[in-house]
Structures are given as structure tokens and as C-alpha cells.
Amino acid sequence: MDYRKIGFGLGVFSIGLGIAELAASKRIARGLSAGDQDGLVRAFGARELLAGAALLAGPAHGARVWNRVAGDAMDIAALGLAARRSPQNRAVWGALAFVAAATAIDIVTAIGLDRTTGKTLPTGQEETEEKERMPAADTPQTVEGKATSIEPATMPQALAPAVG
């Protein structure tokens, strides 16, 4: 399974959902029997846009998908309150089922990214990749198992010929 592609797809999905929540916040709030909460729906839409933009910028970072999971938890909490307020509203229960399914996809993707990339957080990835390509600074260059210099291996003058 290519979790990076799924992460990118979740980013596109988040942007679409965020636009819908911003454009139709009053209608969504009324449908969920929470007509006075259209501002909250807009705030959730803005959160979705930010999460989507982050995923499009870096779909292979588990932390960005875990951010969606946190947003899903907020959605579930808000929908739970709406369900208590109006337990007969089928739209609320449908929305809860939809968010629960999205949460499951988000969790599976986040765990998959954590396992395949080896890290949850995107910070420092470039630094780590660069360090892996370069020899350690405190490891001297060697020829046939003998050190060629006492200077760090990353310095150009450390490439002195081996003696004897």
C-alpha cells in the first residue's frame, strides 16, 4: 500500500471538505440541528483547509495525518453534542458514521507512514538524509584499515595519502 499517495489523497479530500464547510456553513449547521453554530462549522472548514494544504505540501509525514486524526476527534466530539441535542436527527448520525470511517482511514495511513518513513515528525528530515550520505566528522579517512589523517573526514585536506 502506498501511504504517500493516500496521504496526498487525504490532502485533496481535506481541501474539498474545508471548502464545502466554508461555503455552506449555515446549511450544514441547520442540517445538524445546530443552526446557531455556523461559525464553528466555518472554523472546522478552515482547519480542514490547513490540514489539506499541509498534506499536499508533505504527504509522506505521519504528523500531518495525525493532525487530521486530532481534527476528527474534534468533529466527533461536536457531532456527539449535536446527537445529544437532537438524537432523532439522521444527518447527525450519518455525519458521525462518515467521520468515524475517515478517522479509521487517517489512523491506518498515519501508522503506515510512521512505519514506512521511520519518523512521525517532518522536521529535520533533510538534515538526517544529508548526514546519512556524509561520513561522520570524527571518523578519519582510511586506506587498507589505516588512518590517513587526524583531521575530520569532511575537510578536503583530510585526504592525505597513506604512508607506509
Side-chain angles (χ1 to χ4, degrees), residues 41-62:
V41 173
R42 278 195 307 277
F44 282 7
R47 184 202 70 226
E48 285 290 345
L49 283 175
L50 290 172
L55 279 168
L56 291 180
H61 299 304

Side-chain angles (χ1 to χ4, degrees), residues 9-84:
L10 288 172
V12 172
F13 171 75
S14 285
I15 288 183
L17 183 58
I19 290 170
E21 287 177 331
L22 288 173
S25 60
K26 289 183 191 255
R27 186 173 183 185
I28 292 170
R30 276 195 312 270
L32 297 173
S33 300
D36 58 337
Q37 300 297 321
D38 62 308
L40 183 62
V41 173
R42 278 195 307 277
F44 282 7
R47 184 202 70 226
E48 285 290 345
L49 283 175
L50 290 172
L55 279 168
L56 291 180
H61 299 304
R64 293 176 179 169
V65 182
W66 285 116
N67 179 43
R68 273 192 47 82
V69 173
D72 293 341
M74 292 171 52
D75 293 342
I76 289 170
L79 288 167
L81 292 174
R84 289 183 80 194

Side-chain angles (χ1 to χ4, degrees), residues 109-131:
T109 303
I111 291 170
L113 284 171
D114 288 348
R115 287 183 180 157
T116 58
T117 62
K119 56 181 79 174
T120 299
L121 299 175
T123 57
Q125 178 179 2
E126 295 80 17
E127 294 172 15
T128 303
E129 290 172 356
E130 188 175 321
K131 285 180 184 175

